[in-house]
Amino acid sequence: MPPEIPLPIQYNPYKHHFRFLQNEIKEWRVNDWIVTEKAMLSIGNNLFDFYLGNLTPEQICNSSLNYFETKNITTQTAFNNWLGNSEWKKITLPDESKWLIKQGNHADRYIHIHPAKFSKHTIRVRATTLKTVLTLCVHKIPISDDGEQNLQYVNKHRISYLQLSPIKSLDEEDSGILKLWQLFVNAAIIS
């Protein structure tokens, strides 16, 4: 858990926070690949919601904690009572993004938060897509005007660094990899 995630929050910015990963890419570029690879394990292998908004992980956590404090939910017992028989509940943060609140896996991190499906400032992402794009960005691979060249870049990095199968095409209109790669590249140019 990154140090900016306060107790009792359980939140994984490696799989749920775009700007956090932009900063991580800068760090990963100067580290050995083994450090990056270990961090990418936190991303897992599922489909998930990925936050693109301006709130930092710390602001997201503090806004969530503030929500609970205003409702006088300041203990695990109070949280369990609030959650009741529900598997999850949804709250809205100051930027109008919606977040799912579930029971955390750890006694000291009993409030598990992650972006809600189709919430404002979020997109749906496959873990392998995100890992592929992060690997390309860490290695400073530019997006080419040549679609075949992009496919070669993608497959080389999927095979060499992630031990993932190659893909058959990067259809310009439907490629989640290409869209996410472009998002990271454009953000790097802007920031």
Side-chain angles (χ1 to χ4, degrees):
M1 196 73 54
E4 61 266 30
I5 310 302
L7 292 171
I9 299 287
Q10 179 181 335
Y11 172 57
N12 184 351
Y14 287 98
K15 69 189 282 189
H16 295 300
H17 203 284
F18 176 65
R19 297 195 194 297
F20 173 84
L21 286 174
Q22 284 180 291
N23 291 330
E24 289 297 291
I25 287 169
K26 293 172 191 169
E27 295 293 318
W28 292 341
R29 284 180 174 164
V30 297
N31 289 327
D32 289 334
W33 176 252
I34 246 162
V35 173
T36 305
E37 189 175 40
K38 184 176 178 186
M40 282 197 198
L41 289 175
S42 303
I43 296 172
N45 295 307
N46 299 327
L47 178 68
F48 49 81
D49 298 285
F50 191 59
Y51 177 74
L52 304 174
N54 290 323
L55 295 177
T56 66
E58 187 174 20
Q59 290 169 324
I60 289 166
C61 293
N62 289 336
S63 293
S64 299
L65 290 173
N66 184 55
Y67 172 87
F68 289 111
E69 286 170 12
T70 61
K71 304 254 184 237
N72 201 26
I73 301 168
T74 56
T75 66
Q76 185 168 8
T77 301
F79 175 76
N80 291 343
N81 289 338
W82 173 79
L83 199 56
N85 292 330
S86 301
E87 233 180 276
W88 54 268
K89 287 191 176 182
K90 203 180 287 187
I91 66 171
T92 303
L93 296 188
D95 69 347
E96 299 179 6
S97 60
K98 300 210 181 295
W99 291 74
L100 287 185
I101 310 297
K102 299 169 37 173
Q103 182 70 46
N105 303 1
H106 309 284
D108 61 340
R109 294 194 180 274
Y110 56 87
I111 301 174
H112 182 176
I113 66 171
H114 59 84
K117 189 175 181 180
F118 307 121
S119 171
K120 188 172 189 174
H121 309 301
T122 66
I123 58 173
R124 299 283 280 164
V125 175
R126 292 191 185 288
T128 54
T129 297
L130 180 58
K131 290 177 188 179
T132 299
V133 169
L134 290 173
T135 303
L136 293 164
C137 291
V138 167
H139 292 100
K140 299 181 181 179
I141 305 301
I143 297 176
S144 172
D145 290 334
D146 178 354
E148 190 57 38
Q149 182 67 54
N150 289 332
L151 182 61
Q152 288 175 15
Y153 289 149
V154 165
N155 284 334
K156 175 184 175 194
H157 285 77
R158 283 174 65 90
I159 294 165
S160 300
Y161 293 98
L162 301 171
Q163 292 75 51
L164 294 173
S165 300
I167 59 173
K168 293 180 181 175
S169 74
L170 277 176
D171 183 337
E172 301 292 326
E173 291 180 21
D174 298 322
S175 173
I177 290 173
L178 202 54
K179 287 177 185 174
L180 192 61
W181 190 8
Q182 191 68 56
L183 187 67
F184 273 95
V185 167
N186 288 345
I189 291 168
I190 293 167
S191 58

